[in-house]
Amino acid sequence: MDEVKVVVAHSERATLRVGDVFLKVDADQARIDVEVEAMSLAPVPTPKVLWRKPPVLAVAALPGTTLGRLGGPSTGSPAAWAAAGAAIRKLHEAPLPPWAGRRRRSPDELVAELDGECELLVTNGVLPADLVTRNRQVAEAALRPWIPAFTHGDLQIDHVFVDGDEVTGIIDWSEAGRGDALFDLATLTLGHEEHLDDVIAGYGTDVDLDVIHAWWSLRSLLGVRWLVEHGFDPFAPGCEVDVLRSRM
């Protein structure tokens, strides 16, 4: 019998691996609806949907290995990072999906959320005030209107699979929708700034680096408390708190 491996689990959802099958358990069926439709529309390799029986979605494992992980070394070559950039550009140039995405917010909504979160981080003693203040300043560059693109919405480094220098698939599409293309690029390179140039080379067009840096700060500021509350460690070396410290 294949071993059951817990890939990730928290109060919102859980993902298990049994042999070559991933089982995603999610009580929010709207999130699974988005994931299935996004994978059918995205012009990049995605996992094959094997079956769906709420609250479980079964998808096939992808060949290759993840590009790396946050807080750990990248296992991908510079060419693999560039290939990821090229795949993301293809996604961003695809026709827009018919939904806005679960976490797409206007700049004004983001300002209100970010300011509230920054206040909580300081008053609750989670992070020092100078670290929060500096990164709130950096994050300002992301708080501007953008042209919507077909975005993944949660393009973490371990959601991209590569085999050699080829992208074999991208997983976890539940946050996909119309959004800011630079948010995807920033999410992929979070904690791996050394590969930003490789990704941009593959992406094939100029990007505003200040906005990339801003999304690093913004995503990290908004994520620290949630991660702690759900059993993750944003203070681990190379993770979100170190990303914030790198902006000082």
Side-chain angles (χ1 to χ4, degrees):
M1 179 179 292
D2 288 314
E3 180 183 5
V4 176
K5 178 182 178 181
V6 178
V7 179
V8 64
H10 50 75
S11 61
E12 294 181 2
R13 68 190 100 166
T15 301
L16 311 175
R17 179 168 186 169
V18 185
D20 290 331
V21 177
F22 284 92
L23 303 175
K24 304 193 70 174
V25 184
D26 196 328
D28 185 344
Q29 290 308 291
R31 193 156 44 206
I32 295 295
D33 290 341
V34 165
E35 178 149 16
V36 172
E37 186 167 2
M39 288 192 294
S40 72
L41 295 175
V44 296
T46 61
K48 180 182 178 181
V49 175
L50 300 176
W51 51 265
R52 180 182 179 187
K53 186 175 181 179
V56 182
L57 171 68
V59 298
L62 291 168
T65 59
T66 61
L67 195 55
R69 64 180 179 84
L70 182 63
S74 166
T75 54
S77 66
W81 282 86
I88 298 167
R89 176 71 180 275
K90 190 174 182 180
L91 174 67
H92 291 167
E93 291 182 336
L96 292 174
W99 66 92
R102 295 178 52 83
R103 296 188 179 179
R104 302 290 80 76
R105 302 174 180 87
S106 70
D108 288 343
E109 290 172 321
L110 271 173
V111 168
E113 181 183 5
L114 180 59
D115 287 345
E117 190 63 31
C118 287
E119 182 178 355
L120 288 171
L121 288 169
V122 175
T123 58
N124 292 343
V126 180
L127 293 175
D130 61 340
L131 184 64
V132 172
T133 298
R134 170 55 183 158
N135 278 276
R136 174 61 183 84
Q137 294 169 346
V138 174
E140 188 69 27
L143 303 172
R144 87 287 179 225
W146 55 76
I147 298 173
F150 188 163
T151 57
H152 180 280
D154 191 24
L155 197 62
Q156 300 177 50
I157 181 176
D158 56 356
H159 290 168
V160 179
F161 280 72
V162 295
D163 187 0
D165 298 335
E166 178 184 356
V167 174
T168 58
I170 299 174
I171 65 171
D172 285 357
W173 291 81
S174 61
E175 306 297 337
R178 300 190 298 269
D180 182 5
L182 296 190
F183 178 71
D184 272 353
L185 296 178
T187 302
L188 178 68
T189 55
L190 183 76
H192 285 280
E193 186 170 357
E194 73 277 9
H195 286 295
L196 179 58
D197 287 345
D198 299 324
V199 171
I200 293 173
Y203 196 70
T205 187
D206 291 335
V207 303
D208 190 330
L209 294 181
D210 287 341
V211 176
I212 297 287
H213 299 160
W215 276 122
W216 286 342
S217 291
L218 199 157
R219 181 182 174 106
S220 298
L221 287 169
L222 292 182
V224 167
R225 278 197 322 118
W226 185 94
L227 290 164
V228 171
E229 291 170 0
H230 288 79
F232 301 99
D233 185 7
F235 291 87
C239 293
E240 285 80 3
V241 175
D242 274 354
V243 170
L244 296 173
R245 289 171 178 151
S246 72
R247 298 299 105 196
M248 297 296 286

